[in-house]
């Protein structure tokens, strides 16, 4: 097993948890996103699906030193996460390599197939449920080591990357329908990470999106305003 740190900011998919244009106002909830949980109000804006920002206080751009310090912190998170996952894989006698990266304003770690064997797909689980649990365990391990809450994103066997691509296609189709008809469109229930992907796509298209409902039926509604 090997760790392959990279210097790119290319997204893996993921996360739970970037960063971060919002559909209306500038999550990541504890999950892929930090305030988006079942305890949030039934209706809210995209801001509940991601709480990251690279701006300084009062909207000021961060200084070079602050950016450098933040990057060093994220690199540290990735290293700690990779060490934790490597130990876990060794204990379970599972194959896989670890790629460490920075995605926007969060550390990102991907567990990928290695020369020794494929990553067990059971680490993803049905609808990514095992992956979400493994991501949360990894975040807790990072927090225990660094003393800071982590919004690290974990991907296994390209699951998040594939899901992201599918969500972009879904969002673009819904955006086209809303622009053509003028009617709002409600999408299927999604995780916080998935909603964040949709919110970003909607924002880029110049429309508005909100998260509505409670977990596990929380979903995105797209409209013109």
């Amino acid at each position: 097993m090997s760790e392959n740190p990279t210097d790119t900011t290319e997204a893996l998919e993921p996360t739970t948890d970037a960063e971060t244009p919002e559909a209306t106002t500038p999550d990541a909830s504890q999950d892929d996103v930090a305030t988006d949980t079942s305890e949030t109000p039934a209706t809210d804006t995209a801001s509940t699906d991601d709480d990251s920002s690279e701006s300084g206080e009062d909207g000021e751009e961060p200084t070079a030193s602050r950016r450098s310090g933040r990057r060093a912190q994220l690199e540290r998170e990735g290293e700690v996460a990779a060490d934790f996952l490597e130990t876990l894989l060794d204990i379970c006698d599972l194959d896989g390599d670890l790629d460490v990266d920075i995605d926007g304003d969060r550390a990102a770690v991907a567990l990928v197939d290695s020369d020794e064997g494929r990553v067990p797909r059971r680490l993803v689980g049905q609808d990514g449920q095992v992956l979400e649990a493994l991501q949360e365990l990894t975040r807790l391990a990072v927090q225990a080591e660094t003393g800071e809450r982590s919004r690290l994103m974990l991907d296994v066997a390209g699951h998040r990357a594939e899901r992201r691509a599918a969500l972009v296609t879904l969002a673009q189709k819904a955006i086209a329908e809303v622009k053509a008809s003028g009617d709002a469109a409600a999408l299927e229930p999604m995780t916080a990470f998935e909603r964040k992907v949709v919110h970003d796509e909607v924002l880029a298209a110049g429309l508005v999106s909100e998260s509505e409902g409670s977990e596990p039926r929380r979903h995105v509604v797209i409209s013109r305003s």
Side-chain angles (χ1 to χ4, degrees), residues 30-101:
Q30 284 264 359
D31 200 62
D32 244 31
V33 244
T35 59
D36 190 357
T37 70
S38 58
E39 298 179 356
T40 55
T43 301
D44 59 14
T45 65
S47 62
T48 60
D49 284 319
D50 195 276
D51 62 2
S52 69
S53 173
E54 293 188 352
S55 296
E57 296 181 1
D58 301 322
E60 295 179 0
E61 288 299 317
T63 63
S65 60
R66 288 183 60 187
R67 288 195 298 268
S68 177
R70 178 57 176 162
R71 184 175 184 83
Q73 178 184 345
L74 296 178
E75 289 175 347
R76 172 62 175 154
E77 287 189 16
E79 292 170 358
V80 173
D83 288 343
F84 169 76
L85 290 167
E86 184 171 14
T87 299
L88 185 63
L89 291 174
D90 286 342
I91 292 174
C92 298
D93 193 24
L94 299 176
D95 295 316
D97 282 346
L98 293 164
D99 288 336
V100 182
D101 199 357

Side-chain angles (χ1 to χ4, degrees), residues 100-216:
V100 182
D101 199 357
I102 295 177
D103 178 11
D105 192 40
R106 70 176 68 195
V109 178
L111 180 56
V112 299
D113 295 339
S114 67
D115 294 337
E116 289 73 30
R118 301 178 68 208
V119 176
R121 269 46 183 178
R122 63 179 180 274
L123 292 181
V124 174
Q126 183 177 4
D127 298 326
Q129 292 179 350
V130 176
L131 170 56
E132 294 295 335
L134 185 57
Q135 176 176 270
E136 187 59 27
L137 282 176
T138 305
R139 288 177 172 180
L140 290 173
V142 171
Q143 180 174 341
E145 181 69 23
T146 64
E148 300 289 339
R149 183 176 70 86
S150 173
R151 298 175 56 252
L152 175 141
M153 180 72 72
L154 176 65
D155 195 7
V156 174
H159 173 78
R160 288 197 193 279
E162 293 173 3
R163 181 59 175 155
R164 180 190 289 274
L167 286 167
V168 167
T169 299
L170 176 67
Q172 290 176 342
K173 180 179 179 181
I175 288 168
E177 292 175 352
V178 171
K179 285 183 175 180
S181 67
D183 297 330
L187 304 185
E188 64 193 48
M190 298 177 182
T191 66
F193 154 72
E194 294 170 336
R195 293 192 297 271
K196 175 62 174 59
V197 173
V198 174
H199 286 316
D200 287 348
E201 200 66 25
V202 173
L203 180 61
L207 297 184
V208 175
S209 61
E210 294 180 344
S211 291
E212 297 184 358
S214 301
E215 301 291 1

